[in-house]
Amino acid sequence: MAEPDKWNPEDNENEEDEEDDEVDEVVYKTAKDAILFVIDVSPSMLTVPPSLSESKQRERDSPTLAALKCAYHLMQQRIISHPSDMLGILLFGTEKSKFEGGEEESGKRGVTYPHCYLLTDLDVPAAEDVKSLKSLAEDEHEFQRLVMPAEEPVSMSNVLFCANQIFTNKAPNFTSRRLFIVTDNENPHAQDKALRSASVVRAKDLYDLGVTIELFPISRPGKDFDRTKFYDDIIYRSSPTDPDVPASTAVASAATAGDGISLLNSLLSSINSKAVARRALFSNLPLEIGPEFKISVKGYILIKRQEPARSCYVWLNGEKPQIVKGITTQVAEDTARPIEKSDIKKAYKFGGEQVTFTPEEIKDLRNFGDPVIRIIGFKPLSMLPIWASLKQSTFIYPSEEDIIGSTRVFSALHQKLLKDQKMGIVWFIARKNAAAVIAAMIPSAERFGECREQLMPPGMWLVPLPYADDVRRSPDTTMVSSPDSLVDMMRTVVQQLQLPKGQYCPEKYPNPALQWHYRILQAMALEEDLPEKPEDKTIPKHKQIHKRAGEYVLEWGKELEQQFRAWQKQNGSQAIATGTKRAANDNDGPPIPAKKSKSSGAGPASSSAKAPLSDDTMLTHWKKNTVNKLTIQTLKSWMESKNLAVSGKKPDLVERVEEYFENK
């Protein structure tokens, strides 16, 4: 029997995955995220603010209900896009209590914490969880019955300890754990220093556990939320950073002021719901600046084309649907006999023969040394052409794990390159047996959002550059220079249609096809009504375009027509030969002269062909790599004198001429 392998749909499409330079996603270090909403349930949190407008549904909700809806929308987003992430909801200040923590493994009943209600346990959300939370947010009677506030205050130390127990039991190994506190009580223990001190200790325990606490304060009517009275003591400004993930929490800086519900909604809008988690491509790779001078860096794929999750086959004839696992078997082409994996060798076609290699030989052929980023030299950034990028770029960031002082050296190099507008040219091998590439190491400055939150940390980008083998010959084209008047008028049109701040922000343009796929999948999974059409933010706003640049475009069109007619009169029949063909009865331009037959005209100008180029002239063209600039008639005339085949198109003729001199 042949050895069956697990079926992979990509195996049938690309058998040479060993030579693929792309890094397989299985080697990425996934960054799992666990979010626990801790929502205050008090009479003031259940009261609709009177100053808010009644025109919008969100503004008619109480802060507690609005926070639940935010949690619902976040759960709705994550259920498909981040299937490994966890989300939970803990209510505090409720009359009912539903949380037990303690020695569950020993069989003893855990301690019940009063006025703490675990609405949704921290876990990977399922479709039923989303539907249950949605029904609670929409059913006013059920919502009021569940969130009845308690008469006595709740201890914040108990709330934080409950959160500690939840993260410890449910998400012990997650790289990102966040606690979102939504409350309007700026000082819950104003009269009790012991409870205040206990809360500070519990917050420190969460911080030591690696949990980031983020506050969403709700300002009461006529009074702003004062963080300094209590929460500045339990919320650390410097959030713990995961060594494998370049943290950039947009909410941490945004939550310092303003309304908490608005911040929650801004959180939802800032989260790209269908984006992949940040993944480490490599860790602790040496960056060699000079001989015996190395620092340690990590690499990340921050920009990667996102596609729908891979589909699978299911069997529906059993008691419940089951995923079908496929296997594949190699067979001989002539006898269809199953072949064992140990009997197979990799082969490459050379001429008419198959040259075979063992796996060890393939490994040796692909080995260009240990993984490294080695700086070869430096060049001005202006020398990097826009077309030079071959594949996705890699973002590198310093790491102190292997080499102490890497951050300081990396920072000095980054600032120097940024100041002088230089780039480094590096020899880059990402992992063992990976193909070596020449890359440009380009510095990037730190980028902030509208609320001064960090969108992109300062670092370096490795942009793969093409080798000589990767550059293809450009096609033969005939360019017609545009007059200055047309260029100046088009410059006005471009200025009127520039994007905001003159730059493209991918965060504002989600992939409409991908979003439509997720929306349909979500509607079917949650038994919702199917949407009528997708939301496409890439559709041009034609009315605004016409209002801002319509007149300029029309004026440019009139000028183009005048310039074209002037150029047409000046160049005569050449204007038709290099442009699109016109009908014989077109009276807009000069008449097209009829083609003369080969037999017509016996004069010397028509009967005698041009003499072929001399060998020295053709040799000069070959040395200057300008053979492709010659006309087809000139090439054929010279090739006939050398008894070379003249069939085929111009690229075939050029190739034969070049082969002639190469073999000479």
Side-chain angles (χ1 to χ4, degrees):
M1 288 293 292
E3 179 183 353
D5 298 325
K6 290 186 178 180
W7 177 60
N8 185 351
E10 294 184 352
D11 290 345
N12 298 329
E13 299 176 1
N14 184 15
E15 291 292 339
E16 299 193 4
D17 53 348
E18 297 171 358
E19 296 187 1
D20 191 5
D21 293 338
E22 297 291 341
V23 180
D24 191 1
E25 283 204 24
V26 297
V27 305
Y28 289 173
K29 294 184 178 179
T30 58
K32 296 181 180 180
D33 193 15
I35 298 177
L36 179 64
F37 279 84
V38 176
I39 304 173
D40 188 5
V41 178
S42 61
S44 58
M45 285 287 289
L46 296 174
T47 304
V48 178
S51 61
L52 296 180
S53 172
E54 296 292 333
S55 60
K56 297 181 180 179
Q57 176 62 35
R58 177 182 64 83
E59 294 178 340
R60 289 201 300 265
D61 296 333
S62 65
T64 299
L65 182 58
L68 283 175
K69 288 187 176 181
C70 288
Y72 158 69
H73 288 301
L74 184 59
M75 183 182 293
Q76 194 179 35
Q77 291 175 353
R78 294 294 180 102
I79 189 173
I80 297 176
S81 59
H82 298 76
S84 299
D85 289 357
M86 290 185 176
L87 194 144
I89 302 173
L90 176 66
L91 307 178
F92 68 95
T94 57
E95 182 67 29
K96 295 183 178 181
S97 301
K98 183 187 174 184
F99 182 84
E100 293 182 358
E103 303 176 358
E104 297 180 357
E105 296 180 358
S106 60
K108 298 181 181 180
R109 182 176 177 83
V111 180
T112 302
Y113 293 91
H115 312 306
C116 292
Y117 192 95
L118 187 59
L119 181 64
T120 303
D121 202 359
L122 186 65
D123 203 347
V124 176
E128 290 299 327
D129 299 328
V130 180
K131 289 192 286 187
S132 299
L133 188 57
K134 180 183 179 182
S135 62
L136 175 63
E138 295 178 350
D139 190 344
E140 184 177 354
H141 177 73
E142 178 66 20
F143 173 75
Q144 292 179 353
R145 185 188 65 82
L146 181 64
V147 298
M148 185 176 297
E151 295 181 359
E152 60 272 10
V154 63
S155 171
M156 285 302 298
S157 62
N158 285 346
V159 175
L160 296 177
F161 185 74
C162 291
N164 192 316
Q165 292 292 309
I166 293 173
F167 281 118
T168 303
N169 295 329
K170 294 295 184 178
N173 299 320
F174 273 49
T175 55
S176 173
R177 287 175 286 188
R178 294 185 285 173
L179 180 66
F180 292 171
I181 300 179
V182 185
T183 182
D184 65 345
N185 190 354
E186 60 186 20
N187 194 2
H189 303 309
Q191 307 298 329
D192 196 330
K193 293 184 178 180
L195 289 178
R196 182 188 182 94
S197 300
S199 301
V200 174
V201 172
R202 296 302 186 190
K204 182 65 168 58
D205 293 340
L206 282 170
Y207 179 81
D208 294 338
L209 192 63
V211 177
T212 303
I213 304 177
E214 299 184 9
L215 176 66
F216 295 89
I218 307 297
S219 298
R220 295 179 180 178
K223 183 181 180 181
D224 292 336
F225 193 97
D226 189 358
R227 296 169 53 104
T228 60
K229 291 184 177 180
F230 177 77
Y231 283 98
D232 275 354
D233 294 334
I234 70 169
I235 295 179
Y236 292 80
R237 297 290 183 175
S238 57
S239 60
T241 56
D242 172 54
D244 291 331
V245 181
S248 173
T249 306
V251 183
S253 58
T256 57
D259 183 62
I261 297 301
S262 300
L263 294 175
L264 273 174
N265 283 281
S266 66
L267 166 70
L268 293 177
S269 61
S270 65
I271 291 177
N272 186 359
S273 60
K274 310 307 182 228
V276 290
R278 290 187 294 262
R279 302 175 186 273
L281 177 62
F282 51 78
S283 298
N284 304 322
L285 191 69
L287 171 58
E288 187 176 309
I289 302 176
E292 303 300 327
F293 183 20
K294 300 178 181 179
I295 62 175
S296 180
V297 297
K298 293 184 178 182
Y300 302 89
I301 298 295
L302 298 186
I303 301 176
K304 187 176 186 297
R305 179 176 176 83
Q306 176 69 343
E307 298 177 352
R310 184 181 298 171
S311 60
C312 60
Y313 294 98
V314 294
W315 181 60
L316 302 176
N317 293 333
E319 296 181 359
K320 61 180 182 178
Q322 300 181 32
I323 297 179
V324 177
K325 294 183 179 180
I327 60 173
T328 180
T329 303
Q330 287 81 18
V331 297
E333 183 180 5
D334 52 352
T335 62
R337 181 177 63 87
I339 304 297
E340 296 292 338
K341 215 172 186 180
S342 58
D343 298 334
I344 299 176
K345 290 185 178 180
K346 204 170 188 66
Y348 292 92
K349 192 172 183 180
F350 185 81
E353 299 180 357
Q354 297 285 352
V355 182
T356 60
F357 294 87
T358 63
E360 291 75 15
E361 291 172 335
I362 291 290
K363 186 176 180 180
D364 292 339
L365 286 174
R366 293 175 54 83
N367 185 13
F368 278 84
D370 295 330
V372 69
I373 303 174
R374 182 179 297 115
I375 297 180
I376 302 174
F378 299 94
K379 293 284 186 181
L381 268 174
S382 58
M383 295 186 65
L384 181 66
I386 193 172
W387 48 263
S389 179
L390 276 179
K391 296 178 181 178
Q392 60 190 16
S393 303
T394 304
F395 183 79
I396 59 175
Y397 206 70
S399 171
E400 297 281 335
E401 293 183 16
D402 280 4
I403 304 176
I404 304 299
S406 296
T407 302
R408 177 171 295 185
V409 176
F410 185 92
S411 177
L413 177 62
H414 170 265
Q415 293 178 26
K416 181 62 176 177
L417 293 179
L418 203 60
K419 179 181 178 181
D420 295 348
Q421 290 296 296
K422 300 281 188 180
M423 63 177 177
I425 306 299
V426 301
W427 172 263
F428 176 38
I429 303 178
R431 65 195 189 281
K432 290 184 178 180
N433 299 326
V437 299
I438 298 292
M441 187 173 66
I442 302 176
S444 67
E446 190 174 15
R447 189 161 62 94
F448 297 94
E450 297 178 355
C451 300
R452 296 299 297 170
E453 73 274 13
Q454 189 188 63
L455 299 180
M456 183 68 66
M460 305 272 201
W461 289 90
L462 297 181
V463 181
L465 301 178
Y467 289 108
D469 315 74
D470 303 323
V471 180
R472 298 185 179 182
R473 181 176 298 163
S474 58
D476 296 330
T477 56
T478 302
M479 299 296 295
V480 179
S481 299
S482 177
D484 294 339
S485 60
L486 275 177
V487 176
D488 294 338
M489 295 179 71
M490 181 53 68
R491 183 180 293 109
T492 304
V493 175
V494 173
Q495 291 174 351
Q496 292 296 322
L497 298 180
Q498 275 194 351
L499 292 171
K501 299 181 181 180
Q503 60 182 3
Y504 168 71
C505 296
E507 297 88 358
K508 296 182 179 180
Y509 302 97
N511 185 346
L514 187 63
Q515 298 295 321
W516 181 243
H517 168 82
Y518 282 130
R519 186 67 186 89
I520 294 296
L521 187 60
Q522 172 184 299
M524 297 183 67
L526 303 180
E527 299 179 354
E528 299 175 346
D529 295 334
L530 294 177
E532 295 181 358
K533 60 179 181 179
E535 181 183 3
D536 189 355
K537 294 185 179 181
T538 64
I539 297 177
K541 299 177 180 178
H542 298 95
K543 291 184 179 180
Q544 293 186 14
I545 293 175
H546 177 71
K547 182 179 180 180
R548 297 180 62 179
E551 296 181 1
Y552 300 108
V553 173
L554 293 176
E555 292 176 1
W556 183 85
K558 295 177 182 178
E559 180 69 16
L560 174 64
E561 185 67 23
Q562 294 176 5
Q563 294 290 345
F564 173 72
R565 293 187 183 280
W567 178 82
Q568 197 176 33
K569 291 179 181 179
Q570 181 180 358
N571 292 272
S573 59
Q574 294 181 6
I576 306 298
T578 58
T580 55
K581 294 184 179 179
R582 292 174 175 260
N585 57 354
D586 191 353
N587 297 323
D588 292 341
I592 304 174
K595 283 188 176 181
K596 295 183 180 180
S597 61
K598 293 183 180 180
S599 60
S600 64
S606 59
S607 60
S608 61
K610 289 184 179 181
L613 293 178
S614 63
D615 293 351
D616 293 338
T617 303
M618 185 62 76
L619 179 62
T620 303
H621 281 290
W622 176 71
K623 290 181 178 180
K624 294 182 178 180
N625 198 23
T626 57
V627 177
N628 60 333
K629 303 296 183 182
L630 301 175
T631 63
I632 295 178
Q633 186 61 37
T634 303
L635 291 172
K636 287 185 176 181
S637 177
W638 183 86
M639 294 172 68
E640 287 175 350
S641 66
K642 300 299 178 185
N643 296 323
L644 298 176
V646 295
S647 59
K649 298 182 179 180
K650 185 176 180 178
D652 301 325
L653 304 180
V654 173
E655 185 177 357
R656 293 192 192 108
V657 172
E658 292 176 346
E659 289 179 353
Y660 173 82
F661 285 105
E662 289 173 357
N663 299 329
K664 190 174 180 180

